[in-house]
């Protein structure tokens, strides 16, 4: 986790960058006149001042002949930062800074001439966005970076080595092991070390994602270059494992990456498990797939869960049979798929129950375990379903699955095979298995978290619900801003399918994560509005600063919030209101 202030640019470096960028000596000298033509320049200046708390700044409105005196020193909080926003807010967009007066001696001699760098320069030069590298190395492999596509921050790059699914006694790893036990070898082989960097072909094309699928957008996916990305799902490895054809079934557990909102159940890196099972017309007795699948189905254990499965095995409009499959084949494969996954869920909930009993937790409702199958759509399966589990009074979506699209198997060079696949999120299951209330906890290195699972991997009889740390107070801070002129914000509030250059909420989420690390619990859109005359869009988001591990002071939260605002201006080009 990054510490508070980790990405703060030290004063020296900052000024030196100013020098380099403007090619003339930069900034003010005592008593020097500064003129800033645009509000963006003002924002820039106000950001410099925190490192110069010894300056008094005079501002005046372009429209007013009597400059209102703004005493920057009096606005400076203990961390300096608070003043930046304060100044901005008060100066507004039609002001100019007329004078900066040194009140006490600065840290080092200041250059003589003044040039106020423009916001565009600021955006390009000074932000926590990593400077564009020529290449990146991930898990000891190096990939060329493409400036137009690269959008992986160092925060995310640093997480590529964590591999929580392989960390001994980590709840994600324990969950993986429990699920693996339901899909035993040699029928199912497990692949837990596949590289997170994949091609757009593997992640999307091979699975039949259309070229305009929103999942491909830079706002949703972390790209290294135009054809290389951090996998967004474990399905990216389906084709290669079908092609390898080492066993009738396989399981993949891996870290996956998605630019997403910030709340208790979303984190830009999480872990998925993919499973698949095929039958080969060339090797089953008499080439009879249906008989072979039924034999395997009969060999599976039974369970006592209540299953709601009201829909037919396929449906011409809602959930079509594939042309190359007979109805009997699709039905048999679907049945085997559903029973296998029901057994997996039964195993998880058996463990939940046992753990509750051990900890003396009273079950919320005495109801038996209930599962339902819902028709779904995925580009890579048909028919497709989602499985939902009745949990604490609500239907909880647990996984997606279906009969694999035949073209994937054909393209993988195994056209004689037919089979099913599923994909699930390990954190989601771990959260209910261990009663973990916030997804950020999985990344915690705090012994109070990790210590609670020690020894469980070797003995599932030790599995107990997580006992939360005392909850620290929430600290809400709002940020209201105008989108850059010309940006419609059509895709702002979770809307998908935007073109490059447009505003997207996920970009804001990324800024918040980069600046604040894991101390933000959620970011919620409170209000949006379009100016009736100018047509400009404005949004208000509420950021909840709440660390899982300690109480944040209001001052710290203020400091972070100001930094978030600065970065929003610098990186996203918005105008704070
Ligand atoms: N890849 C899907 C996702 O990330 C999950 C999934 C759905 C995987 C259906 C599958 C499947 O293999 O058949 O949302």
């Amino acid at each position: 986790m990054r510490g508070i202030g980790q990405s703060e640019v030290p004063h020296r470096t900052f000024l030196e960058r100013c020098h380099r960028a403007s090619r003339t000596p930069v900034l003010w000298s005592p008593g020097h006149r500064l003129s800033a033509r645009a509000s963006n320049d003002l924002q820039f200046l106000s950001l410099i001042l925190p490192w110069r708390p010894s300056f008094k700044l005079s501002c005046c409105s372009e429209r007013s002949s009597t400059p209102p005196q703004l005493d920057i020193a009096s606005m400076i909080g203990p961390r300096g930062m608070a003043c930046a926003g304060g100044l901005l807010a008060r100066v507004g967009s039609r002001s100019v800074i007329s004078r900066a007066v040194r009140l006490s001696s600065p840290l080092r001699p200041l250059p003589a001439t003044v040039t106020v760098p423009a916001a565009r320069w600021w955006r390009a030069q000074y932000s926590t966005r990593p400077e564009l590298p020529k290449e990146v190395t991930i898990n000891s492999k190096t990939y060329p970076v493409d400036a137009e596509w690269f959008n992986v921050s160092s925060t995310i790059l640093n997480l590529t080595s964590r591999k929580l699914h392989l960390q001994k006694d980590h709840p994600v790893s324990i969950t993986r092991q429990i699920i693996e036990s339901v899909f035993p070898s040699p029928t199912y082989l497990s692949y837990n070390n596949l590289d997170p960097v994949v091609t757009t072909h593997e992640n999307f094309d091979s699975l039949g994602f259309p070229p305009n699928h929103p999942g491909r957008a830079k706002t949703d996916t972390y790209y290294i270059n135009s054809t290389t990305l951090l996998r967004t799902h474990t399905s990216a490895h389906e084709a290669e494992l079908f092609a390898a054809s080492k066993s009738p079934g396989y399981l993949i557990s891996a870290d996956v990456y998605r630019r997403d909102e910030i709340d208790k159940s979303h984190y830009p890196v999480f872990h998925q498990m993919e499973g698949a099972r095929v039958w080969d017309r060339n090797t089953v007795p008499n080439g009879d797939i249906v008989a072979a699948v039924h034999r395997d189905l009969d060999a599976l254990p039974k369970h006592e869960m209540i299953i709601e499965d009201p829909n037919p095995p396929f449906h011409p409009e809602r959930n079509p049979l594939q042309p190359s499959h007979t109805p009997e084949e699709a039905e048999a494969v679907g049945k085997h798929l559903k029973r296998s996954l029901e057994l997996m869920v039964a195993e998880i909930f058996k463990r939940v129950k046992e753990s509750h009993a051990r900890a003396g937790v009273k079950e919320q409702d005495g109801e038996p375990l209930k599962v339902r199958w819902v028709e779904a759509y995925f580009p890579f399966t048909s028919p497709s379903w989602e499985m939902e589990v009745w949990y604490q009074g609500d239907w909880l979506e647990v996984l997606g699955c279906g009969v694999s699209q035949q073209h994937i198997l054909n393209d993988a060079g195994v056209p004689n095979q037919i089979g099913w696949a599923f994909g699930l999120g390990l954190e989601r299951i771990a959260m209910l298995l261990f009663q973990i209330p916030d997804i950020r906890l999985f990344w915690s290195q705090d012994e109070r978290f990790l210590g609670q699972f020690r020894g469980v991997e070797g003995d599932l009889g030790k599995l107990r619900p997580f006992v939360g740390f005392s909850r620290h107070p929430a600290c809400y801070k709002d940020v209201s801003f105008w989108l850059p002129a010309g940006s419609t914000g059509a895709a702002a509030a979770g809307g998908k399918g935007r073109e490059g250059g447009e505003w997207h909420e996920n970009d804001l989420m990324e800024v918040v994560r980069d600046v604040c690390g894991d101390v933000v619990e959620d970011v919620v859109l409170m209000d949006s509005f379009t100016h009736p005359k100018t047509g400009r869009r404005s949004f208000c988001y509420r950021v909840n600063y709440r660390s899982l591990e300690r109480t944040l002071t209001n001052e710290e939260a203020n400091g972070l919030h100001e930094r978030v605002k600065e970065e929003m201006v610098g990186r996203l080009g918005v105008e704070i209101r």
Side-chain angles (χ1 to χ4, degrees):
M1 209 182 308
R2 65 195 300 146
I4 304 280
Q6 193 176 317
S7 60
E8 235 166 61
V9 173
H11 161 78
R12 277 184 78 94
T13 322
F14 179 67
L15 284 183
E16 278 154 15
R17 280 186 185 201
C18 292
H19 271 296
R20 257 189 282 130
S22 64
R23 274 183 233 101
T24 47
V26 187
L27 265 357
W28 59 76
S29 56
H32 206 108
R33 263 183 85 85
L34 299 180
S35 74
R37 288 169 309 277
S39 62
N40 280 335
D41 295 337
L42 283 178
Q43 289 170 14
F44 176 84
L45 282 173
S46 66
L47 290 166
I48 301 168
L49 288 163
W51 284 284
R52 293 284 171 191
S54 47
F55 281 84
K56 179 172 173 159
L57 195 73
S58 307
C59 297
C60 67
S61 160
E62 264 173 349
R63 301 225 166 138
S64 135
S65 50
T66 43
Q69 294 290 312
L70 281 181
D71 185 352
I72 196 93
S74 68
M75 282 193 275
I76 291 172
R79 288 183 61 79
M81 277 306 182
C83 74
L87 176 69
L88 260 187
R90 284 189 226 184
V91 168
S93 60
R94 285 213 184 81
S95 307
V96 275
I97 293 175
S98 57
R99 250 154 52 91
V101 182
R102 189 171 66 180
L103 297 175
S104 58
S105 60
L107 299 173
R108 67 181 178 122
L110 288 165
T113 323
V114 177
T115 305
V116 181
R120 221 172 304 116
W121 174 84
W122 157 268
R123 213 171 294 157
Q125 299 293 318
Y126 174 63
S127 77
T128 55
R129 194 206 318 241
E131 275 179 28
L132 190 71
K134 284 216 166 51
E135 50 188 34
V136 287
T137 302
I138 298 172
N139 291 337
S140 57
K141 280 196 209 138
T142 300
Y143 306 87
V145 158
D146 170 343
E148 197 195 324
W149 286 84
F150 185 66
N151 63 352
V152 194
S153 68
S154 51
T155 321
I156 298 298
L157 280 175
N158 290 339
L159 297 178
T160 55
S161 57
R162 290 284 296 275
K163 298 183 200 286
L164 302 183
H165 63 295
L166 297 176
Q167 185 180 316
K168 190 164 188 314
D169 287 329
H170 192 282
V172 172
S173 172
I174 298 166
T175 307
R176 167 186 63 80
Q177 285 200 323
I178 294 174
I179 301 176
E180 282 175 353
S181 74
V182 188
F183 298 97
S185 73
T187 305
Y188 298 89
L189 292 186
S190 292
Y191 298 83
N192 297 334
N193 257 315
L194 297 171
D195 218 296
V197 182
V198 298
T199 62
T200 42
H201 180 81
E202 290 167 316
N203 201 80
F204 299 120
D205 306 308
S206 73
L207 295 161
F209 281 73
N212 60 351
H213 193 278
R216 294 181 187 250
K218 273 193 283 185
T219 48
D220 289 38
T221 295
Y222 292 106
Y223 281 89
I224 292 162
N225 55 50
S226 62
T227 54
T228 315
L229 49 85
L230 293 175
R231 70 183 149 221
T232 64
H233 56 173
T234 42
S235 308
H237 302 287
E238 277 197 4
E240 74 184 273
L241 292 186
F242 282 137
S245 209
K246 290 256 180 352
S247 53
Y250 60 76
L251 296 175
I252 306 163
S253 298
D255 38 337
V256 300
Y257 298 78
R258 289 186 200 173
R259 301 180 93 226
D260 218 330
E261 62 214 82
I262 299 182
D263 64 31
K264 286 187 197 176
S265 57
H266 289 89
Y267 203 84
V269 189
F270 62 103
H271 297 77
Q272 281 191 331
M273 182 183 267
E274 190 90 3
R277 171 79 159 95
V278 293
W279 289 265
D280 192 322
R281 290 180 210 284
N282 289 345
T283 57
V284 295
N286 310 318
D288 188 344
I289 294 273
V290 177
V293 176
H294 275 128
R295 263 195 309 279
D296 287 330
L297 180 62
D298 291 341
L300 289 177
K302 306 276 182 291
H303 60 72
E304 297 195 333
M305 294 188 303
I306 297 172
I307 308 292
E308 287 182 20
D309 190 6
N311 294 304
F314 44 84
H315 184 279
E317 283 102 43
R318 298 193 314 256
N319 218 1
L321 171 73
Q322 295 178 45
S324 53
H325 298 161
T326 67
E328 294 75 19
E329 284 171 346
E331 184 164 359
V333 170
K335 273 190 179 157
H336 188 276
L337 163 65
K338 286 175 177 171
R339 174 83 70 77
S340 304
L341 293 173
E342 288 160 7
L343 287 166
M344 184 273 290
V345 164
E347 177 69 17
I348 295 286
F349 280 88
K350 186 186 94 186
R351 301 280 178 194
V352 172
K353 226 178 166 155
E354 288 169 359
S355 111
H356 284 185
R358 261 192 297 277
V361 178
K362 249 187 88 199
E363 294 295 323
Q364 293 234 333
D365 50 23
E367 288 183 61
L369 190 52
K370 243 187 339 189
V371 161
R372 76 174 178 193
W373 289 103
V374 179
E375 290 176 333
Y377 170 79
F378 302 103
F380 33 96
T381 48
S382 193
S384 309
W385 301 276
E386 276 166 2
M387 179 203 251
E388 296 182 345
V389 176
W390 185 252
Y391 182 68
Q392 297 185 347
D394 224 338
W395 286 108
L396 180 78
E397 188 192 310
V398 170
L399 57 83
C401 64
V403 178
S404 290
Q405 281 287 356
Q406 200 58 42
H407 72 81
I408 302 174
L409 292 150
N410 297 350
D411 296 347
V414 288
N416 297 311
Q417 297 182 4
I418 165 172
W420 55 248
F422 74 86
L424 57 81
L426 284 169
E427 275 86 349
R428 171 162 273 208
I429 298 198
M431 282 170 101
L432 45 106
L433 185 55
F434 294 94
Q435 311 283 291
I436 294 174
D438 189 310
I439 198 163
R440 290 177 291 167
L441 279 162
F442 290 106
W443 299 91
S444 172
Q445 318 251 30
D446 193 318
E447 187 54 25
R448 289 174 298 169
F449 177 72
L450 294 174
Q452 296 195 29
F453 312 103
R454 201 125 308 132
V456 176
E457 217 164 282
D459 177 7
L460 290 174
K462 288 194 184 140
L463 197 155
R464 284 166 172 271
F466 168 68
V467 182
F469 321 149
S470 61
R471 213 157 140 67
H472 301 284
C475 182
Y476 296 101
K477 309 248 170 238
D478 290 354
V479 54
S480 301
F481 55 93
W482 293 108
L483 295 191
S487 179
T488 62
K496 304 280 170 177
R498 46 84 83 181
E499 289 301 312
E502 270 294 342
W503 159 261
H504 193 293
E505 182 177 271
N506 284 352
D507 295 331
L508 165 65
M509 302 293 168
E510 196 75 357
V511 165
V512 174
R513 290 196 189 278
D514 284 352
V515 172
C516 308
D518 283 352
V519 302
V520 170
E521 183 170 288
D522 52 41
V523 178
V524 182
L525 179 67
M526 303 301 289
D527 191 22
S528 69
F529 141 89
T530 305
H531 192 284
K533 289 210 179 101
T534 62
R536 266 184 106 182
R537 293 280 281 156
S538 154
F539 292 98
C540 176
Y541 280 86
R542 178 159 294 173
V543 184
N544 176 7
Y545 294 88
R546 188 205 310 246
S547 165
L548 290 162
E549 290 161 357
R550 62 198 176 80
T551 299
L552 289 182
T553 62
N554 191 42
E555 211 170 78
E556 249 176 319
N558 273 338
L560 287 168
H561 199 59
E562 290 311 322
R563 294 263 313 286
V564 165
K565 289 197 225 166
E566 290 159 20
E567 289 292 316
M568 287 174 66
V569 172
R571 283 162 66 163
L572 310 180
V574 304
E575 188 185 321
I576 305 292
R577 295 183 61 183

